[in-house]
């Protein structure tokens, strides 16, 4: 910072640009004299979203709710995985779902057809859900204590990675038809996720998909990531996913009790 | 294109701060953008110009300070430079890396009047 007047001159980024901040000969821009001045802000651009996310997280913790944020590119099978999961779990566990899509309520309708409450959020041009909208969805959904809340994000392997919704985990779903290099091509999402689900394994015989390489790539981006492989269509591998879910729910419930 | 919503968040901060810090116009905005923050700088500039139209920051200049990525290598026990989230440690080749710098985006300061 400029040692004389505190105007902010002297940063590493100074004055290659024609920064119009007039250091006149008299150096006279003391507050109130020259209308142009520097203001320090030092604020995270995501601060507002992060505040709402913290509120949501607190809400979940107070109620022992396991909230999962499901992210993937369009069509990798998020809604199919959810309907299949709900069919197997709903007798044991209370479940609610928030569906994020740019348009239509089709996914929320698919979920409601399984008999659990679902709320659709249409983001319009928005490419991701944000914590503020999820907070409002909670007000109307009122998920039960000790239940599971699935949040299906907008199909997009890039943008939702930056927006914390207050979830316990981001779960990234990658279908084997998308190619094993996706963790490297879209590293932000795989970095942000705690679990990767390789879906549509029933199609493996028809593809050159290299599962080993895919898992290797995912771990390269995120050494802590866990991996499950399954087919939401045939049910192969669903058992491990259900066990993972129940274990995570149990952790939330222990913290709540 | 989440750059659009990032710019909307930036504008909200500018508007909010206008009351606190008593300014009417924003001439320049300095942002610190981490190399690992998942932000496309060109898309950010493009979105910014659109989002600030008709606001107190219309025609404001965006100055971007790029913050290089850094991670803690567990095997080496030291910080190393990383350009990408899939980079390996330049010393030992491990990817047991924990990013500790360059994954944030911040509004640093403003030139206002
Ligand atoms: N073969 C096969 N097809 C699947 C599997 N899971 C989902 N699909 C199909 O993939 C297509 C997309 O599935 P959705 O569940 O709608 O995918 P989504 O991720 O919810 O899609 P968006 O919400 O639009 O992003 C549908 O035709 C599903 O039937 C699977 O395990 N195997
Ligand atoms: Mg869907
Ligand atoms: Zn190392």
């Amino acid at each position: 910072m400029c040692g004389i007047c505190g105007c902010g001159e002297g940063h590493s980024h100074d004055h290659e640009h024609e920064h119009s901040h007039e250091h006149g000969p008299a150096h006279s821009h003391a507050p109130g004299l020259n209308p142009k001045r520097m203001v320090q802000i030092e604020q995270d651009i995501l601060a507002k979203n992060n505040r709402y996310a913290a509120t949501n997280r607190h809400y979940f913790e107070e109620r022992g709710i396991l909230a999962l944020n499901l992210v993937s590119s369009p069509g990798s099978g998020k809604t199919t995985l959810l309907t299949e999961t709900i069919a197997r779990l709903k007798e044991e566990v209370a479940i609610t779902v928030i569906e994020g899509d740019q348009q239509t309520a089709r996914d929320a309708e698919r979920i409601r057809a399984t008999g659990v409450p679902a709320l659709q959020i249409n983001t319009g041009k928005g490419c991701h859900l944000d914590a503020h909208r999820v907070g409002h969805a909670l007000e109307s959904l009122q998920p039960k204590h000790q239940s599971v809340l699935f949040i299906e994000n907008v199909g997009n392997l890039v943008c939702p990675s930056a927006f914390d919704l207050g979830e316990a985990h981001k779960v990234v779903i990658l279908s084997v038809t998308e190619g094993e290099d996706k963790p490297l091509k879209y590293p932000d999402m795989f970095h942000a996720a705690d679990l990767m689900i390789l879906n549509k394994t029933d199609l493996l015989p028809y593809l050159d998909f290299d599962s080993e390489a895919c898992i290797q790539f995912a771990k390269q981006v995120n050494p802590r990531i866990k991996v499950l492989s399954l087919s939401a269509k045939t049910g192969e591998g669903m058992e491990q996913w259900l066990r993972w879910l129940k274990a995570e729910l149990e952790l939330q419930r222990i913290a709540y009790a | 294109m989440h750059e659009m919503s990032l710019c909307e968040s930036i504008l909200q901060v500018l508007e909010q701060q206008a009351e606190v810090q008593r300014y009417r116009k924003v001439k320049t905005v300095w942002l610190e953008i981490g190399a690992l923050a998942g932000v496309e700088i060109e898309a950010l500039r493009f979105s910014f110009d659109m989002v600030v139209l008709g606001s107190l920051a219309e025609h404001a200049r965006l100055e971007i300070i790029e913050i290089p990525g850094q991670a803690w290598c567990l095997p080496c026990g030291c910080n190393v430079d990383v350009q990408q989230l899939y980079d390996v440690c330049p010393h030992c080749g491990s990817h047991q890396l924990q990013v500790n710098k360059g994954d944030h985006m911040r509004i640093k300061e403003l030139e206002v009047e």
Side-chain angles (χ1 to χ4, degrees), chain A residues 8-251:
Chain A
E9 191 193 348
H11 309 261
S12 56
H13 58 268
D14 61 3
H15 302 200
E16 278 125 45
H17 50 86
E18 12 65 81
H19 176 173
S20 57
H21 148 204
E22 282 129 302
H23 270 252
H27 204 85
S28 64
H29 62 297
L33 288 180
N34 189 309
K36 278 191 190 139
R37 64 196 160 95
M38 300 298 289
V39 171
Q40 304 291 313
I41 298 274
E42 306 283 349
Q43 242 197 69
D44 197 302
I45 295 172
L46 292 170
K48 188 169 163 217
N49 184 72
N50 291 344
R51 276 195 298 276
Y52 284 113
T55 307
N56 294 348
R57 188 162 282 119
H58 182 68
Y59 177 102
F60 299 136
E61 282 167 4
E62 271 192 321
R63 293 168 177 75
I65 294 172
L66 172 65
L68 298 174
N69 180 359
L70 273 63
V71 290
S72 83
S73 56
S76 52
K78 298 179 293 299
T79 311
T80 310
L81 177 64
L82 284 181
T83 56
E84 292 301 315
T85 304
I86 292 165
R88 288 165 171 80
L89 209 60
K90 69 174 178 185
E91 302 303 330
E92 270 175 78
V93 177
I95 301 173
T96 48
V97 179
I98 296 173
E99 281 289 341
D101 282 293
Q102 289 198 325
Q103 299 296 341
T104 84
R106 295 170 67 96
D107 282 0
E109 284 156 16
R110 284 168 67 190
I111 300 294
R112 280 187 214 116
T114 67
V116 309
L119 192 132
Q120 182 80 47
I121 298 178
N122 283 133
T123 57
K125 288 192 181 51
C127 49
H128 58 87
L129 288 175
D130 63 59
H132 182 224
R133 298 200 68 176
V134 167
H136 281 303
L138 293 174
E139 287 168 10
S140 44
L141 259 185
Q142 301 274 339
K144 290 202 174 72
H145 288 219
Q146 310 203 41
S147 65
V148 177
L149 170 71
F150 292 109
I151 305 169
E152 179 180 335
N153 220 311
V154 179
N156 176 337
L157 208 42
V158 182
C159 307
S161 70
F163 296 84
D164 184 5
L165 306 179
E167 70 275 350
H169 304 287
K170 283 193 178 74
V171 176
V172 61
I173 293 142
L174 180 67
S175 57
V176 296
T177 51
E178 294 169 70
E180 64 272 344
D181 55 2
K182 294 303 165 292
L184 295 184
K185 288 187 176 169
Y186 301 94
D188 296 301
M189 192 64 90
F190 294 85
H191 188 74
D194 295 318
L195 175 67
M196 171 169 83
I197 292 183
L198 285 180
N199 187 29
K200 309 196 188 179
T201 54
D202 58 290
L203 299 177
L204 281 173
Y206 312 101
L207 305 165
D208 296 327
F209 186 84
D210 185 341
S211 304
E212 296 267 299
C214 182
I215 294 169
Q216 188 55 36
F217 292 150
K219 296 211 160 161
Q220 193 172 328
V221 172
N222 178 359
R224 292 163 294 107
I225 201 164
K226 297 194 179 64
V227 183
L228 294 173
S229 300
L230 57 82
S231 165
K233 184 176 168 158
T234 66
E236 180 194 23
M238 283 291 284
E239 196 47 41
Q240 273 94 317
W241 157 241
L242 295 178
R243 283 171 60 193
W244 183 89
L245 273 176
K246 287 181 205 164
E248 288 295 328
L249 177 60
E250 196 52 32
L251 290 176

Side-chain angles (χ1 to χ4, degrees), chain B residues 54-113:
Chain B
S55 78
L56 82 177
E58 185 161 7
H59 306 306
R61 193 188 6 242
L62 201 55
E63 292 286 346
I64 297 194
I65 307 162
E66 293 186 51
I67 307 294
Q70 190 187 71
W72 177 260
C73 175
L74 288 175
C76 292
C78 67
N79 282 324
V80 298
D81 293 340
V82 286
Q83 273 75 50
Q84 303 288 351
L85 288 172
Y86 51 78
D87 278 355
V88 296
C89 171
H91 307 307
C92 71
S94 164
H95 36 74
Q96 298 286 320
L97 298 178
Q98 253 161 11
V99 173
N100 56 20
K101 211 171 144 199
D103 58 347
H104 280 81
M105 36 196 159
R106 284 196 321 155
I107 308 173
K108 188 168 168 51
E109 58 185 347
L110 311 175
E111 182 185 43
V112 299
E113 61 177 36

Side-chain angles (χ1 to χ4, degrees), chain B residues 4-60:
Chain B
M4 199 63 120
S5 45
L6 295 180
C7 289
E8 281 160 6
S9 305
I10 294 171
L11 181 58
Q12 280 177 1
V13 174
L14 301 183
E15 285 172 342
Q16 210 179 9
Q17 290 286 319
E19 289 170 30
V20 185
Q21 312 251 22
R22 304 183 161 279
Y23 55 79
R24 288 174 299 107
K25 274 199 85 49
V26 177
K27 309 297 278 183
T28 314
V29 179
W30 277 270
L31 301 181
E32 281 183 355
I33 305 288
L36 308 174
V39 178
E40 192 49 59
I41 305 271
E42 278 321 304
L44 190 73
R45 289 187 182 285
F46 179 81
S47 309
F48 183 79
D49 291 344
M50 298 211 336
V51 167
V52 298
L53 278 178
S55 78
L56 82 177
E58 185 161 7
H59 306 306

